């Protein structure tokens, strides 16, 4: 009988310098920040050529997720095998001390964008920490047109046309492709997105990059071409509580590229799925995943991939634990709704 070597895989974070970033990722992740610069992003799961996540535990330690994808396509991906050449989701923590540029990512429907070979990008955020000044912008106020936007970029009044949310920890914010968005004011979020790097910058609040001494480039025409001016699904989501015991399982996002649940509790519960991979992100507390007689210690800030072949396993919290569990849908999901708490 052939024995598959796949097991629950932990990945190392990759920190990224960003001029709008801060130092708060140090509290969230066990891996120390590389130097005293501002770090806006930690890429916690990335199958991109330029920044490849590496396995941090067990016999596959040091291998990139792409190497694991290539060698273990079926045990890793299960029923999704051969649908994706690269792992289809990119996961990050963001620490936005200052406002990020106002940006938009293209969808599939825009002629000529995304450029050939690139994919569309829908993303979503789960708020982890927020302060008094924190703000999330997601979508445009009704009636905003391309002409109004262009004018407001010239005279610095763009913010007046954005739907602005005052975030609190636990909130889920959905940003489908084509949605104008930004965040900042000392907010820390978990970000899930399609594995794509196509971003068009609409406005940058007059920021100067300390590294270059110059403002960053804007791509106003491309951004305007991608904006979904109706963007009905963008913004704060209503969590759907699917179960309360042994763990509270609330579904935050259900869209074609991903599904995400927030799990919170202190009694043992199950994670993972038969025939499909799942990703776990621990945002509070610690615990253990049990698989095949082995235990895997899970700490705050860590990302774990449960390969399809691992299936369903027990998670044993040490204390109150808060996990995000992520699935890649086999079938396109039904749509996403928003609620109207805006501030
Ligand atoms: Zn974005």
């Amino acid at each position: 009988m052939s024995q598959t070597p796949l097991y629950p895989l932990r990945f190392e974070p990759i920190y990224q310098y960003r001029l709008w970033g801060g130092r708060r990722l140090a509290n969230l992740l066990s891996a120390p920040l590389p130097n005293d610069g501002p770090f806006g992003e930690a890429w916690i799961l990335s199958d991109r050529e330029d920044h490849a996540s590496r396995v941090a535990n067990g016999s596959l330690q040091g291998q990139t997720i792409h190497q694991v994808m290539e060698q273990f396509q079926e045990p890793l991906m299960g029923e999704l095998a051969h649908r994706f050449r690269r792992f289809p989701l990119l996961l990050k923590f963001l620490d936005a001390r200052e406002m990020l540029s106002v940006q938009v990512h293209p969808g599939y429907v825009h002629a000529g964008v995304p450029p050939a070979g690139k994919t569309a990008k829908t993303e979503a955020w789960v708020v982890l920490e927020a302060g008094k000044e924190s703000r999330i912008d997601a979508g445009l106020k009704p009636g905003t047109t391309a002409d109004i936007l262009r004018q407001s970029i010239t005279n610095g009044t763009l913010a007046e046309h954005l739907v602005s949310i005052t975030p609190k920890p636990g909130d889920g914010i959905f940003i489908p492709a084509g949605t104008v968005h930004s965040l900042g004011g000392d907010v820390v979020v978990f970000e899930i997105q399609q594995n794509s790097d196509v971003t068009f910058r609409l406005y940058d609040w007059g920021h100067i990059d300390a590294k270059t001494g110059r403002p960053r480039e804007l791509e106003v025409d491309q951004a305007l071409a991608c904006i979904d001016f109706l963007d009905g699904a963008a913004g704060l989501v209503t969590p759907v509580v699917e179960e309360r015991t042994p763990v509270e399982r609330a579904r935050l996002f259900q869209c074609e590229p991903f599904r995400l649940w927030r799990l919170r509790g202190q009694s043992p519960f199950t994670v993972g799925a038969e025939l499909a991979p799942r990703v776990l992100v621990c945002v509070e507390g610690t615990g253990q995943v049990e698989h095949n007689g082995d235990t895997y210690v899970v700490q705050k800030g860590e990302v774990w991939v449960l390969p399809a072949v691992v299936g369903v396993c027990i998670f044993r919290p040490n204390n109150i634990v808060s996990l995000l569990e992520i699935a890649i849908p086999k079938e396109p999901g039904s749509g996403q709704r928003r609620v109207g708490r805006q501030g």
Side-chain angles (χ1 to χ4, degrees):
M1 214 176 94
S2 74
Q3 200 71 53
T4 166
L6 276 193
Y7 51 91
L9 302 169
R10 180 167 72 80
F11 286 88
E12 289 290 356
I14 304 166
Y15 287 112
Q16 308 272 9
Y17 163 86
R18 295 289 184 264
L19 76 130
W20 43 260
R23 304 286 301 168
R24 290 167 85 164
L25 296 176
N27 308 329
L28 193 59
L29 292 157
S30 44
L33 292 173
N35 58 51
D36 56 6
F39 288 92
E41 303 187 3
W43 291 25
I44 56 172
L45 191 63
S46 160
D47 184 5
R48 301 201 61 77
E49 247 163 59
D50 45 351
H51 298 101
S53 292
R54 289 181 187 276
V55 178
N57 68 320
S59 57
L60 296 173
Q61 184 171 5
Q63 298 232 31
T64 66
I65 185 164
H66 194 60
Q67 290 169 323
V68 178
M69 279 285 279
E70 284 184 328
Q71 291 169 64
F72 302 102
Q73 181 68 233
E74 279 176 27
L76 177 66
M77 300 301 283
E79 339 179 269
L80 303 170
H82 310 296
R83 209 176 111 196
F84 304 102
R85 203 174 64 80
R86 292 189 168 274
F87 197 78
L89 301 176
L90 177 57
L91 309 182
K92 303 175 181 178
F93 290 124
L94 306 184
D95 171 12
R97 188 169 46 87
E98 296 179 38
M99 290 304 288
L100 269 73
S101 62
V102 179
Q103 52 184 252
V104 62
H105 310 295
Y108 292 106
V109 291
H110 308 101
V113 282
K118 307 266 187 172
T119 53
K121 179 145 104 174
T122 282
E123 65 188 26
W125 295 324
V126 180
V127 178
L128 302 179
E129 296 175 29
K132 284 201 180 80
E133 305 295 315
S134 300
R135 199 177 94 211
I136 288 181
D137 298 324
L140 298 169
K141 288 186 181 163
T144 307
T145 62
D147 284 343
I148 292 174
L149 278 187
R150 208 182 273 282
Q151 185 67 44
S152 70
I153 291 164
T154 313
N155 58 27
T157 56
L158 182 77
E160 293 171 16
H161 304 286
L162 303 176
V163 174
S164 185
I165 297 161
T166 304
K168 59 176 178 48
D171 280 349
I173 317 283
F174 186 57
I175 316 275
T179 306
V180 177
H181 60 282
S182 181
L183 81 172
D186 250 338
V187 63
V188 178
V189 302
F190 164 78
E191 179 176 77
I192 179 169
Q193 55 186 217
Q194 285 174 280
N195 187 356
S196 157
D197 61 354
V198 191
T199 297
F200 298 119
R201 203 175 279 138
L202 192 61
Y203 185 65
D204 204 17
W205 315 101
H207 278 158
I208 301 290
D209 189 340
K211 274 201 166 169
T212 62
R214 294 165 48 190
R216 297 185 298 176
E217 253 175 66
L218 301 179
E219 295 123 328
V220 175
D221 291 335
Q222 293 100 315
L224 289 175
C226 307
I227 292 173
D228 173 1
F229 283 90
L230 300 172
D231 67 8
L236 191 66
V237 303
T238 310
V240 178
V241 177
E242 295 184 344
E243 62 179 72
R244 294 199 186 273
T245 55
V247 68
E248 186 189 272
R249 174 180 280 268
R251 195 182 70 228
L252 295 188
F253 308 119
Q254 172 166 291
C255 57
E256 202 176 318
F258 52 81
R259 260 172 224 174
L260 183 145
W261 297 265
R262 191 181 57 211
L263 281 60
R264 197 173 150 81
Q266 52 186 336
S267 305
F269 54 89
T270 58
V271 289
E274 300 299 343
L275 308 174
R278 287 280 169 97
V279 182
L280 297 181
V281 180
C282 182
V283 295
E284 187 191 343
T286 59
Q288 291 116 44
V289 168
E290 293 178 0
H291 169 63
N292 238 352
D294 288 321
T295 58
Y296 299 81
V297 176
V298 176
Q299 315 246 34
K300 181 179 168 182
E302 288 179 353
V303 61
W304 288 77
V305 172
L306 302 179
V309 73
V310 164
V312 174
C313 21
I314 301 282
F315 188 93
R316 245 174 243 290
N318 295 334
N319 38 34
I320 288 208
V321 75
S322 186
L323 296 181
L324 306 176
E325 183 170 10
I326 297 153
I328 303 157
K330 202 175 135 201
E331 308 288 341
S334 60
Q336 179 90 37
R337 296 208 194 112
R338 75 163 154 186
V339 291
R341 182 166 65 76
Q342 294 160 10

